[in-house]
């Protein structure tokens, strides 16, 4: 149910509507290792069953979606011959690098700079140097591909926003100052920084209210402040109501390819306080539609919250309108056209021998 998968589903559906033949291939959830099953049995906890398939943005779609027989690397036999083959994660880029040329021009769809301490860092760096055409979702990522990997032939295709799903009526400030955030335990999302900034802001605004949602439940390891209004995996058509309950949305990511919630919040007329990563690095303008601060700047985030929440109602309404105007020029249909153009660019590069794979749709 992650944002990256949501983007893949949207493009798969829209490219199919545009007349392309699209197949998505993925792995199932990893089975419980045999040694853990034996340990569970030995401890008297019984033989654990493998987890059921998780909820997914693919549920209920007409996408041609093939799931492998088990958790394993993909091979040539798992994918059809094609004009284009697209990796969507650093590990899948390694697999595609080993595919035969008949699988198509090799493209790496980069939705984040996937170099984290819990991953094999050198391998992660290496995939960005592979001779594949990169499509990135933000100017921030394009700069990383250029400065760290000397690749300037990168296409930027910004994500869109579904304005039929994410919208809100013009409003004033909430009767109780309200901050919203996405709950996530994922490395790099900066939950600890967001919560620390909210704690500082509460010293000045004691009645500050917190609204949050996510696909994970808060736990003892990472909890939300008492009194937080938390929604677990809310239906997609109800998320806009959560954004619209907020006077400000905070995101403290340390590494973020795009940051869909920030754009969706703005589409729902909520100003954003964000760190300088992903889409907010270019879209959030301090004093106009929110506040932008450096990564890990907890004090700056707290000051940003304080600034937005302390605005007179008329001034807040203007910042809210500016936020709305920042997000709404985009649409998924326009993004899909640009994505298609980027794929054609990859085909031309493959024909010229600049990237791996071959493409038969361009002579």
């Amino acid at each position: 149910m992650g944002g990256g998968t949501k983007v893949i589903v949207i493009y798969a559906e829209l490219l199919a509507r545009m007349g392309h033949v699209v197949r998505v291939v993925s792995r199932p959830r990893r089975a419980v290792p045999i040694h853990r099953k034996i340990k569970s049995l030995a401890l008297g906890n019984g033989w654990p069953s493998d987890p059921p398939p998780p909820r997914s943005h693919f549920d209920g779609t007409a996408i041609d979606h093939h799931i492998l027989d088990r958790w394993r690397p993909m091979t040539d036999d798992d994918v059809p011959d094609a004009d284009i083959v697209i990796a969507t994660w650093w590990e899948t880029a390694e697999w595609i690098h080993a595919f035969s040329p008949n699988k198509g021009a090799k493209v790496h769809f980069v939705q984040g700079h996937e170099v984290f301490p819990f991953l094999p860092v050198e391998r992660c760096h290496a995939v960005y140097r592979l001779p594949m055409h990169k499509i990135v979702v933000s100017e921030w990522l394009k700069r990383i591909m250029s400065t760290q990997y000397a690749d300037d032939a990168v296409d930027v295709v910004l994500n869109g926003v579904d304005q039929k799903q994410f919208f809100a009526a013009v409003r004033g400030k909430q009767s109780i100052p309200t901050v919203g955030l996405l709950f996530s335990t994922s490395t790099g999302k900066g939950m600890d920084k967001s919560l620390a900034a909210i704690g500082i802001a509460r010293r000045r605004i004691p009645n500050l209210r917190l609204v949050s949602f996510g696909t994970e439940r808060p736990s003892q390891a990472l909890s939300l402040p008492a009194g937080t209004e938390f929604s677990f995996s809310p239906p997609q058509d109800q998320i806009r109501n959560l954004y619209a309950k907020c006077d400000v949305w905070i995101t403290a990511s340390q590494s973020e390819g795009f940051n869909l919630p920030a754009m969706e919040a703005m589409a729902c007329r909520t100003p954003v306080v964000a760190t300088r990563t992903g889409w907010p690095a270019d879209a959030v303008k301090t004093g106009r539609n929110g506040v932008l601060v450096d990564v890990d700047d907890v004090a700056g985030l707290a000051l940003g919250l304080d600034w937005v929440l302390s605005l007179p109602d008329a001034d807040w309404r203007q910042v809210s309108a500016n936020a709305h105007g920042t997000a709404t020029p985009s649409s998924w249909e326009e993004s899909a056209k640009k994505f298609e153009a980027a794929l054609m660019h990859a085909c031309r590069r493959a024909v010229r021998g600049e990237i791996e794979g071959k493409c038969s749709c361009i002579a």
Side-chain angles (χ1 to χ4, degrees):
M1 292 302 294
T5 302
K6 178 179 179 179
V7 172
I8 292 165
V9 168
I10 290 170
Y11 281 137
E13 289 188 311
L14 291 177
L15 288 168
R17 287 183 207 168
M18 295 161 72
H20 301 286
V21 178
V22 182
R23 174 175 292 181
V24 178
V25 185
S26 66
R27 296 192 290 194
R29 179 175 282 188
R30 190 195 296 265
V32 178
I34 189 67
H35 70 274
R36 284 179 54 192
K37 291 185 177 182
I38 294 172
K39 182 177 180 181
S40 175
L41 187 63
L43 292 173
N45 297 324
W47 188 262
S49 58
D50 291 329
R55 287 181 58 212
S56 168
H57 287 292
F58 285 98
D59 296 345
T61 71
I63 294 170
D64 180 9
H65 180 203
H66 288 233
I67 302 175
L68 298 186
D69 56 330
R70 65 185 188 281
W71 177 277
R72 60 173 174 80
M74 294 185 193
T75 68
D76 262 26
D77 293 337
D78 296 315
V79 298
D81 289 351
D83 294 300
I84 298 161
V85 59
I86 306 172
T88 61
W89 164 249
W90 73 271
E91 195 174 11
T92 62
E94 286 188 333
W95 301 340
I96 285 175
H97 174 55
F99 284 2
S100 68
N102 291 335
K103 302 306 170 182
K106 299 181 180 182
V107 175
H108 189 177
F109 181 34
V110 181
Q111 296 196 70
H113 187 214
E114 294 154 356
V115 180
F116 303 112
F118 61 88
L119 296 174
V121 171
E122 290 307 314
R123 284 172 59 194
C124 294
H125 280 302
V127 299
Y128 296 109
R129 299 187 181 95
L130 294 175
M132 298 183 185
H133 183 66
K134 298 185 190 70
I135 303 174
V136 300
V137 296
S138 65
E139 293 289 345
W140 180 78
L141 279 171
K142 183 177 182 178
R143 290 191 288 271
I144 288 177
M145 295 304 118
S146 175
T147 57
Q148 294 195 30
Y149 304 103
D151 189 348
D152 294 314
V154 174
D155 282 316
V156 179
V157 181
L158 299 181
N159 290 336
V161 64
D162 184 348
Q163 295 176 44
K164 295 179 181 178
Q165 180 181 356
F166 297 105
F167 61 89
V170 174
R171 65 182 186 274
K173 295 173 68 176
Q174 308 294 315
S175 57
I176 300 174
T178 304
V179 178
L181 83 162
L182 180 72
F183 181 82
S184 174
T185 61
S186 297
T187 300
K189 293 295 185 180
M191 271 296 300
D192 56 335
K193 304 296 189 299
S194 290
L195 294 175
I198 290 167
I200 295 171
R202 265 194 167 145
R203 296 174 194 167
R204 174 173 162 77
I205 310 170
N207 65 333
L208 186 151
R209 179 176 64 157
L210 184 58
V211 171
S212 179
F213 70 90
T215 58
E216 304 168 90
R217 294 185 187 276
S219 64
Q220 192 171 11
L222 183 60
S223 60
L224 290 170
T228 298
E229 179 185 328
F230 176 75
S231 299
F232 174 67
S233 287
Q236 291 291 304
D237 61 358
Q238 293 182 20
I239 295 176
R240 67 173 177 268
N241 298 324
L242 299 174
Y243 288 133
K245 285 184 176 182
C246 303
D247 295 306
V248 62
W249 186 262
I250 185 171
T251 172
S253 293
Q254 295 165 308
S255 179
E256 187 79 58
F258 189 81
N259 200 323
L260 270 177
M263 176 183 267
E264 293 166 356
M266 281 191 168
C268 295
R269 302 182 181 274
T270 303
V272 169
V273 172
T275 46
R276 208 178 303 276
T277 63
W279 179 76
D282 298 297
V284 176
K285 307 297 182 185
T286 296
R288 176 171 172 76
N289 55 17
V291 175
L292 187 69
V293 305
D294 290 334
V295 171
D296 293 333
D297 184 0
V298 172
L301 290 166
L303 287 171
L305 294 177
D306 185 64
W307 179 78
V308 175
L309 295 171
S310 300
L311 287 170
D313 187 73
D315 292 342
W316 185 91
R317 285 172 180 263
Q318 183 59 59
V319 174
S320 170
N322 293 342
H324 182 257
T326 300
T328 50
S330 64
S331 75
W332 281 114
E333 288 72 19
E334 286 302 312
S335 294
K337 291 176 184 177
K338 293 175 182 177
F339 197 89
E340 180 189 48
L343 296 179
M344 298 304 291
H345 183 196
C347 280
R348 291 191 294 272
R349 293 191 68 200
V351 169
R352 295 194 298 265
E354 297 173 6
I355 63 170
E356 293 178 337
K358 66 182 183 181
C359 180
S360 60
C361 68
I362 294 179

